[in-house]
Amino acid sequence: RVSLKDLKSKVILIQFTGIGCGPCHQSVPFLKQLVEEYKTSDFEFVSIETWSENRDGLKRYYERNALNYKFLKSEEGVTDSYRIYSVPAFFILDEKRLIRKVLTGYGKGETDNTIRNTLKEWL
């Protein structure tokens, strides 16, 4: 179990994802690169699976994609609290855990630039 209280970084990017979602999977290379780019910054990225209940399948997905970030299984209350109706959805939170930016969907390049620009603003 992981809660926002456990994450001590100044800025947090949360992605709600689904392992069977094409745009979600398309975002993986960018997200891995982003984690590497900001590994010395006060930044943390967490991906939260919202679709699958298959823990073995989730573990295989994590390993097959060589994810370098937290990949968690959502609980129903979490997806309800964030009002997740489709994936991917990205939330950028500041040090007070206020949501500063929400992006839905993924467009290679466009979404990447928006996330990078928002991180630059808050870090």
Side-chain angles (χ1 to χ4, degrees):
R1 300 194 95 170
V2 175
S3 104
L4 280 178
K5 291 181 268 183
D6 300 327
L7 306 174
K8 304 299 182 196
S9 298
K10 181 177 178 182
V11 175
I12 299 171
L13 171 63
I14 299 171
Q15 176 204 36
F16 289 91
T17 189
I19 63 171
C21 162
C24 299
H25 188 69
Q26 185 183 19
S27 71
V28 169
F30 163 71
L31 296 168
K32 288 171 56 175
Q33 180 183 8
L34 190 71
V35 167
E36 283 300 311
E37 285 175 24
Y38 284 92
K39 69 181 175 186
T40 60
S41 299
D42 203 1
F43 165 77
E44 189 155 4
F45 171 65
V46 177
S47 182
I48 301 175
E49 168 62 30
T50 62
W51 290 3
S52 179
E53 297 290 333
N54 182 336
R55 294 196 185 274
D56 289 334
L58 295 175
K59 183 178 179 185
R60 283 191 304 274
Y61 181 85
Y62 181 86
E63 292 168 353
R64 187 175 342 123
N65 290 288
L67 301 182
N68 60 348
Y69 49 80
K70 286 180 177 63
F71 179 64
L72 308 173
K73 169 69 186 100
S74 182
E75 294 179 346
E76 188 173 320
V78 174
T79 54
D80 290 346
S81 294
Y82 281 86
R83 296 185 176 131
I84 303 303
Y85 303 112
S86 65
V87 292
F90 300 89
F91 289 75
I92 298 176
L93 287 71
D94 69 11
E95 60 193 322
K96 294 179 182 174
R97 302 307 175 244
L98 297 174
I99 297 169
R100 294 299 179 175
K101 185 89 165 169
V102 177
L103 301 163
T104 55
Y106 180 76
K108 186 175 172 71
E110 181 182 338
T111 304
D112 305 350
N113 291 335
T114 301
I115 289 173
R116 277 195 175 101
N117 290 336
T118 304
L119 291 178
K120 287 177 187 175
E121 181 181 336
W122 290 100
L123 283 172

